[in-house]
Amino acid sequence: MKALLLICLLWTTTAQARLSIEITQGMEGSMPIAVVPFGWSGPGVPAQDVAAIISADLARSGQFAPLDVARLPQHPVDGRDVNFNLWRGVGSDSLVIGRLELRDGRYQVQFQLFDTVRGVQLAGYTMQADATRLRRVAHQIADIIYQRLTGQRGAFDTHIAYVTVENVEAGKRRFRLEVADADGHNEQVILTSGQPLMSPTWAPDGRRLAYVSFEGGRSMIYLQDVASGKRQKVAEFAGINSAPDFSPDGLRLALTLSRDGNPEIYVIELGSGRQIRVTRHWGIDTEPVWAPDGRSLYFTSDRGGRPQIYRVQLDQGGRPTEEPRRVTFEGSYNASPALSADGKRLAMVHGDGNRFRIAVLELDSGVLRVLTDTRLDESPSFAPNGAMVLYATEVGDRGVLEAVSADGRARQRLGLTKGDVREPAWSPFFGE
Amino acid sequence: MSGRFVPYGWSLLLHAVVVALLGVSLHAPAPRPQPAAAQAEAEPIQARAVDEAEVQAEVQRLREEAQQQQAQEQARRQKLKDEERQAREARQREEQRVVELKRRAEEEQRQRAAERKAKEAAEQKRLADLKKAAEEAERKRVAEEKKARELEARRKQEEEARKKAAAEADLKAKMAEAQRQMDAEAQKRAQERARQNSTLMQQYVADIRNKVERNWLRPPSARSGMTCTVLVQQLPTGDVVSVRITRGSGDAVFDRSVEIAVHKATPLPPPPVPELWEREIEFIFEVR
Amino acid sequence: MNSKALWAVGMSSLLLVACGSLEERPEDVPVEERSIGAGDGVPADGVETGGAQLGGEFGASPLTDPASPLAKRVIYFAFDSSEVTPEGRDLISTHARYLAQHPEISVVLEGHADERGSREYNLALGERRAKAVERLMTLQGVASNQLQVISFGEERPVAFAHDDSAWQLNRRVELLYSGY
C-alpha cells in the first residue's frame, strides 16, 4: 500500500513541469452546427426538406445554432468531399451531410455527422421511409444527432396536444383539441366544440388522450383514441369532473371530483369504473399527477391556505397510506405540477404577487429554479426526455405556447395556428 | 467345487488302507507266549545212625563250630557293628558333609541369589540410571530443541524486524527522495511561478486564457465541480499541434467541449517577448 | 383565507344582515307586488301598465325588469378568494328572498375566476364561490332543489384584457334564472 502511494507521488511529481492555466469561464450558448442540404438524385424535389427539418429541430431545442444555409462554404454529399478546414473556418463545430434517393417509390435517406474540430465522424446511418413518413425520419435523425452531441436522448420525434380558441363571432368561440408534431407541423384537429375544452393529457402509449369538455353544460371527462377519434365519457359525476392524469401503466386515471362536497382527488380504474377516494379535506385538492412508479401522486391543494403542491403515497391498491405531505415551500402560490419522466423534477406554476411563472423544483435537493420571466404562464408540460418544458403564456394579446430548456437558458416560441393556443401536453416517447 | 472334495477323498482312501492293514494284521494269529520254565522239585528227607563220639566230636565240633561261628558271628557282628558304626559315622560324616555341602550350597545359593539380586538391583539401577539418563538426555534434548527453536524464532523475528526496518528505511529513504524531488519540483515551480508572475508572463497567460475562454462553449450538462485537464502543444507560431486530454471529467460531452475550445483557440496568441514562449501548456477547465 | 374563517365571517355577517333587515326596504316592494299580481315567466312588453300596481314599475316579472334589483345577477369576488363582500351579501339576500317565496323557480349559480394561475385550480375556485353563494341562499330559506352549482373556472371570461379591470369582472358568480 505504501509502495502504491509512493508510486503515485512520484508519478504526479513528474507530471507537473509546465505552464498551467486555469479556465473557469466559458460562453453560454448554443453549439454551432452546420446542416448541409441533403443531396437529391431524383426528379423534381423530395417530399420533405430533410436538412431543414433537422436544422429547425436542433435550433428549437435551444442548444444548437445552425449555420445559415447561405454561409455554407461547401455542399458535400459524401464524407470524402468534406474539407474540415473550411468548416472550422466558419466556426462550425459539427457538420451534418446527407443524401436522399428514391428507390421503388420509397426514400432512402443516408446521413453522416462529423466533428469538424477533430476531423472525425461521429455517426452515420441509412434509413428508409415512404413519403408520408419522411418527416418522421428527419426528426429521428435529429434525435440521433442531438444524442451524440449532448449525451441526452432527443425528443424531436414526439407529438404535442393543445387547445386552440378562436373567436368566431361576437360572443361565440370555437374550441379545438389538436395534436401536432413536436415542431408544430402536421396539426390535426381531433375535436371541435362550441364549449370550452381543458386539460388534455396523454396515455402512456401515446395513442389516447383524456380531456375535460364542457359540451354537456358543465365539466366532464372524456377519453379519446387519437387515431380513430372514438371516444367515451369516463366521468360525469355531480359537480366538477376534471384534471385527468393517466397512471404509468395506463390502466387508471387520477382526477378531481367534487361530488362529495368539495374538490378531492380520486383514482378511477378505467376497466371496471371502480373509484378510490384519495384525499379527504375541506380544502381544494386538484391536479393530480402520478409519480413514475405509480406509488404516489403529486397534487395542488390549498389546505394550507393558498395553493401549494403536496405529495401522497399510495399502496398497491391505490389507497393513500399516510397524510399528504407538502412539497413546495417557496413562494405564496404553487400549482399545476408536472413531473419529468425520471420523477426527479417537478415543474409548476409559481406565483408571487402578480406574476405567475414556470419554475422547476429539483425534488432531491429542494432547489427551485424559475425558468421564465413572463407574467401569465400556465400548464407546464415536460418533454419526455426532461430537457424542455412546454407551457402556455400570453404575448401581446394572444395565448401562445413556448418551450424553455430545463435549465432556463433557451426559450422558443412555437409557431402555431391562429387564435389562442393553450393547455399544451407533450406526448411520451413512441414505442415504435 | 470338485477341488474341495479331493482331500476328503484322499482321507477316506487313507483310512480305508489303514483299516485294511489293521484288519489284516488282526486276522494274522499272534504268536503265543511259551509257558514258564520248570518248577523246583522238592528233595525228600533221608534219616541216618549217629556215633556218640562222633556225635560228641561232632557236637564239639559243632560247638566249636558254633563257637567259632559265634565268635565269627560275634566278630562278624562286631565287625558289622563296627561296620555299621563306621557306616553310621561315615553316614553321619556323609550327612554332615552333605549338610555341610547343602549348607554351603545354600550358602552359595544365597550368596548367588544375593549376588544375583545385587546384580539385578545393580542392573535395575543401571537400567534405571540409564533410563533416567536417557530421560534426562531426552529432556535436555527437548529443552535444547525448544531453546533452539526459540532461538530460531527469535532469530527469525529479529531477521524480519530487521528486514522490515530495512524496508521501512528503504521506503523512508525513497519517500524522502520523493519528497526531495517534490521539494525540488516545488522549488522549480516556485521559480517558474516567479517567472510567470512577472508582469509580462501574466499578460501572456491572460491573452491565452481569454482566447480559450472565448472559444469554450460550455455544454448544458456542465455541472459545478466538473473539471477536465488537457495538454496542448504549440508551435512558435502559436498553432496548436497536439491536444491530449490527461484527465477527463467523466462526461464525454463536456470533454469534447474542452477539446474543441483549445482547438478553436488556434493560433494561440504570441507572448509579449519571445523568451516567454511555452511549447507545452496544460489547461485545467473547471466549472465553478 | 381558509373556508372556516370565511364561514365564521359569513355567519356573523349574516346575523348582522338579518338584524339589520327588520325594517322594510323599498326594493322589496316589487317582489310583494308580484305575489299579488301576475304569474311567472310572462315577459314584460308593456302589456300591463302600472295603474293597478304600486311603485309605478312595469313588467309582470321582476326577473325581466331591468330596473329591479333582481336584474343585478352577478356577485364579485376578491382575487383568490371566495369570501362574499357586503355588496354581494345584499344582492344574495335580495335573490334569496325572491326564491324563498317562489319555490317553483330555480337558479343556476355559475362560478368563475380570472385567468391568473392554474386553470384547474380556478375551476375549483369558481365552484367554491358559487357554493358560498348557495350556502348563503339556503340559509335564507331557499330550497336546495332550487339551486344548482356549476363552475367554468376561467373558461368563460366576460372581459378579455389582461389587466386588473378585466380580472375583476371575471371573478364572479352569475345567477342564471332558466328562461330569463
Side-chain angles (χ1 to χ4, degrees):
Chain A
M1 207 51 211
K2 275 200 182 155
L4 196 66
L5 183 66
L6 178 64
I7 291 171
C8 290
L9 275 173
L10 283 174
W11 190 58
T12 51
T13 53
T14 53
Q16 298 187 9
R18 66 188 68 74
L19 180 55
S20 184
I21 303 183
E22 284 183 354
I23 309 289
T24 57
Q25 290 192 4
M27 310 298 278
E28 305 267 322
S30 18
M31 290 188 237
I33 188 170
V35 184
V36 177
F38 280 30
W40 169 240
S41 54
V45 288
Q48 300 287 350
D49 184 347
V50 173
I53 296 170
I54 295 170
S55 214
D57 278 350
L58 295 173
R60 202 176 54 257
S61 75
Q63 301 194 28
F64 292 92
L67 209 58
D68 195 2
V69 172
R71 292 187 50 212
L72 301 178
Q74 51 165 176
H75 287 240
V77 165
D78 192 281
R80 290 169 296 203
D81 301 331
V82 174
N83 180 339
F84 291 112
N85 281 322
L86 287 177
W87 294 103
R88 282 196 280 269
V90 292
S92 169
D93 297 344
S94 315
L95 172 68
V96 178
I97 65 174
R99 189 181 10 227
L100 228 61
E101 269 170 19
L102 200 56
R103 271 192 212 170
D104 305 321
R106 295 197 91 212
Y107 284 95
Q108 177 120 338
V109 186
Q110 182 189 299
F111 82 96
Q112 287 166 289
L113 169 67
F114 292 99
D115 174 332
T116 55
V117 178
R118 293 181 295 174
V120 295
Q121 177 177 313
L122 297 177
Y125 287 91
T126 307
M127 296 145 107
Q128 272 138 6
D130 52 35
T132 55
R133 290 200 61 213
L134 194 54
R135 258 201 108 77
R136 207 158 159 221
V137 164
H139 290 310
Q140 285 166 350
I141 293 174
D143 278 341
I144 293 171
I145 294 168
Y146 183 90
Q147 168 129 38
R148 278 310 147 86
L149 297 179
T150 68
Q152 282 180 304
R153 187 173 173 182
F156 300 117
D157 185 27
T158 52
H159 288 181
I160 56 174
Y162 49 92
V163 173
T164 61
V165 186
E166 215 183 323
N167 268 327
V168 179
E169 53 193 42
K172 208 165 160 214
R173 293 180 298 166
R174 181 181 296 134
F175 297 84
R176 278 200 265 252
L177 178 59
E178 302 193 27
V179 171
D181 294 348
D183 64 355
H185 275 80
N186 285 340
E187 294 171 66
Q188 291 173 63
V189 178
I190 67 168
L191 184 73
T192 306
S193 173
Q195 297 299 323
L197 297 167
M198 267 174 73
S199 304
T201 185
W202 290 89
D205 62 3
R207 292 191 211 281
R208 294 169 295 164
L209 281 167
Y211 55 88
V212 178
S213 168
F214 286 81
E215 64 196 79
R218 58 193 185 89
S219 57
M220 292 179 198
I221 297 177
Y222 289 79
L223 189 51
Q224 182 165 335
D225 184 279
V226 175
S228 65
K230 281 215 188 80
R231 64 180 193 149
Q232 57 176 129
K233 217 183 294 188
V234 291
E236 59 168 326
F237 301 97
I240 287 174
N241 299 271
S242 75
D245 189 64
F246 280 90
S247 61
D249 60 9
L251 301 173
R252 291 174 289 175
L253 211 58
L255 40 62
T256 299
L257 301 175
S258 67
R259 54 191 276 207
D260 287 327
N262 75 327
E264 304 277 16
I265 311 288
Y266 290 74
V267 172
I268 280 194
E269 262 172 41
L270 287 169
S272 63
R274 191 170 79 96
Q275 304 138 41
I276 296 172
R277 181 168 169 175
V278 176
T279 59
R280 237 166 251 282
H281 196 277
W282 42 258
I284 288 173
D285 298 310
T286 183
E287 298 182 306
V289 294
W290 291 85
D293 64 0
R295 296 301 290 266
S296 59
L297 286 169
Y298 290 84
F299 62 97
T300 306
S301 175
D302 67 359
R303 56 184 61 201
R306 295 206 69 202
Q308 296 288 346
I309 296 174
Y310 290 73
R311 179 177 175 206
V312 63
Q313 301 271 58
L314 305 173
D315 64 16
Q316 206 79 310
R319 254 166 289 273
T321 58
E322 53 177 24
E323 280 301 299
R325 280 188 217 211
R326 186 166 156 181
V327 162
T328 52
F329 295 94
E330 265 179 74
S332 55
Y333 184 115
N334 288 293
S336 299
L339 208 53
S340 59
D342 60 4
K344 292 198 178 147
R345 283 170 297 149
L346 194 67
M348 66 191 77
V349 171
H350 174 79
D352 66 86
N354 241 355
R355 301 174 58 159
F356 291 86
R357 299 178 289 177
I358 304 298
V360 171
L361 174 68
E362 304 261 348
L363 288 166
D364 288 340
S365 62
V367 171
L368 186 78
R369 194 187 289 127
V370 177
L371 298 185
T372 62
D373 56 17
T374 23
R375 286 170 55 234
L376 291 169
D377 304 335
E378 49 184 40
S379 310
S381 173
F382 269 104
N385 66 355
M388 303 200 74
V389 176
L390 192 58
Y391 61 97
T393 190
E394 294 282 333
V395 170
D397 219 8
R398 276 186 61 210
V400 295
L401 296 188
E402 289 195 345
V404 63
S405 60
D407 55 12
R409 276 203 339 206
R411 205 177 329 140
Q412 236 198 27
R413 187 160 314 143
L414 262 71
L416 286 166
T417 48
K418 54 264 165 216
D420 283 341
V421 191
R422 55 177 69 164
E423 300 272 71
W426 209 315
S427 78
F429 285 118
F430 283 109
E432 321 168 28
Chain B
M1 200 48 121
S2 63
R4 251 206 4 213
F5 288 116
V6 164
Y8 286 128
W10 278 113
S11 163
L12 269 172
L13 189 61
L14 210 57
H15 276 78
V17 165
V18 166
V19 163
L21 280 173
L22 280 173
V24 164
S25 63
L26 273 169
H27 287 309
R32 283 186 183 197
Q34 297 293 324
Q39 6 187 132
E41 286 181 2
E43 281 186 351
I45 304 197
Q46 309 178 344
R48 329 208 308 233
V50 247
D51 136 17
E52 211 69 20
E54 235 174 60
V55 165
Q56 254 342 300
E58 205 55 34
V59 163
Q60 186 77 23
R61 197 181 50 82
L62 269 164
R63 221 181 290 136
E64 268 173 17
E65 227 173 281
Q67 259 175 2
Q68 215 183 357
Q69 254 184 347
Q70 225 175 8
Q72 268 184 340
E73 186 71 25
Q74 237 173 344
R76 205 188 64 217
R77 255 198 225 124
Q78 190 68 40
K79 194 175 163 201
L80 269 171
K81 253 191 206 149
D82 287 339
E83 279 182 348
E84 239 177 64
R85 190 175 44 84
Q86 276 179 0
R88 200 169 48 245
E89 284 179 346
R91 209 171 45 245
Q92 272 184 347
R93 267 203 312 280
E94 192 67 31
E95 275 184 2
Q96 272 184 351
R97 201 171 58 94
V98 166
V99 168
E100 183 69 28
L101 274 171
K102 227 191 207 166
R103 194 187 57 81
R104 228 180 276 155
E106 283 184 351
E107 185 78 29
E108 266 189 45
Q109 216 169 1
R110 238 197 329 276
Q111 246 181 359
R112 261 206 301 277
E115 273 179 16
R116 200 173 46 244
K117 250 201 203 112
K119 240 196 232 159
E120 271 187 17
E123 187 68 21
Q124 220 68 299
K125 184 160 179 297
R126 193 178 69 89
L127 283 174
D129 279 346
L130 268 175
K131 192 165 168 203
K132 218 190 292 185
E135 280 180 355
E136 188 65 37
E138 182 69 22
R139 234 196 331 271
K140 246 196 220 152
R141 192 185 62 86
V142 165
E144 288 210 5
E145 231 173 64
K146 188 158 143 201
K147 209 182 338 174
R149 260 203 310 271
E150 279 176 4
L151 265 170
E152 183 67 24
R154 216 187 346 242
R155 191 188 64 83
K156 266 210 188 107
Q157 237 176 12
E158 281 172 8
E159 181 76 24
E160 274 190 24
R162 211 189 30 228
K163 267 197 199 144
K164 198 151 76 150
E168 273 193 32
D170 190 33
L171 197 65
K172 247 193 217 149
K174 285 209 181 99
M175 287 187 78
E177 177 66 29
Q179 185 66 40
R180 260 196 304 274
Q181 278 189 16
M182 264 172 35
D183 288 343
E185 288 289 344
Q187 208 176 22
K188 234 196 277 180
R189 269 202 308 275
Q191 284 172 348
E192 186 71 22
R193 221 173 295 134
R195 191 170 78 94
Q196 290 181 30
N197 280 341
S198 71
T199 334
L200 292 177
M201 194 61 180
Q202 278 180 334
Q203 189 187 326
Y204 183 37
V205 164
D207 287 345
I208 295 177
R209 181 187 292 121
N210 284 336
K211 187 146 190 217
V212 170
E213 283 182 352
R214 266 204 315 276
N215 281 288
W216 185 31
L217 207 55
R218 281 192 354 184
S221 60
R223 300 261 165 270
S224 174
M226 270 187 183
T227 174
C228 173
T229 306
V230 62
L231 200 54
V232 168
Q233 290 188 356
Q234 63 165 334
L235 298 177
T237 54
D239 292 304
V240 170
V241 292
S242 157
V243 173
R244 186 168 64 88
I245 290 184
T246 54
R247 196 171 78 150
S249 65
D251 181 332
V253 172
F254 186 80
D255 290 351
R256 181 169 175 260
S257 77
V258 162
E259 266 189 76
I260 290 176
V262 291
H263 268 118
K264 285 165 79 171
T266 195
L268 295 175
V273 291
E275 301 83 65
L276 291 179
W277 176 83
E278 289 286 339
R279 192 175 82 90
E280 226 177 30
I281 302 178
E282 175 190 68
F283 290 95
I284 304 173
F285 285 74
E286 202 183 305
V287 181
R288 294 260 165 93
Chain C
M1 176 88 47
N2 58 39
S3 288
K4 271 201 178 124
L6 160 73
W7 182 249
V9 168
M11 284 299 291
S12 47
S13 49
L14 197 62
L15 209 57
L16 288 170
V17 168
C19 293
S21 64
L22 285 172
E23 74 257 9
E24 288 252 349
R25 287 198 284 195
E27 298 93 63
D28 294 350
V29 169
V31 178
E32 280 165 66
E33 274 265 34
R34 202 181 163 287
S35 65
I36 299 169
D40 306 343
V42 176
D45 54 358
V47 169
E48 286 167 283
T49 50
Q53 293 169 340
L54 292 156
E57 313 284 349
F58 62 90
S61 162
L63 287 180
T64 58
D65 179 1
S68 154
L70 293 180
K72 287 222 289 262
R73 308 229 176 119
V74 187
I75 298 138
Y76 294 99
F77 291 82
F79 175 56
D80 203 30
S81 162
S82 53
E83 188 191 345
V84 181
T85 59
E87 300 80 26
R89 256 180 275 117
D90 286 347
L91 193 56
I92 289 169
S93 302
T94 306
H95 286 272
R97 258 192 297 276
Y98 178 80
L99 285 163
Q101 285 160 3
H102 297 272
E104 70 284 359
I105 295 188
S106 57
V107 69
V108 171
L109 305 173
E110 224 183 58
H112 300 264
D114 73 37
E115 65 175 343
R116 290 175 294 171
S118 151
R119 259 171 217 273
E120 289 284 355
Y121 183 76
N122 286 337
L123 188 64
L125 193 55
E127 185 187 71
R128 188 189 264 169
R129 286 170 177 155
K131 284 209 157 136
V133 172
E134 179 194 42
R135 252 196 310 274
L136 284 174
M137 286 199 167
T138 50
L139 281 171
Q140 295 179 67
V142 183
S144 45
N145 63 1
Q146 288 178 269
L147 302 168
Q148 193 190 348
V149 164
I150 288 183
S151 171
F152 281 90
E154 64 178 85
E155 307 302 311
R156 278 210 184 150
V158 290
F160 293 84
H162 305 292
D163 54 31
D164 273 319
S165 57
W167 295 335
Q168 208 172 26
L169 291 172
N170 289 326
R171 293 191 297 269
R172 71 201 190 278
V173 170
E174 286 188 25
L175 277 58
L176 300 174
Y177 289 92
S178 32
Y180 291 92

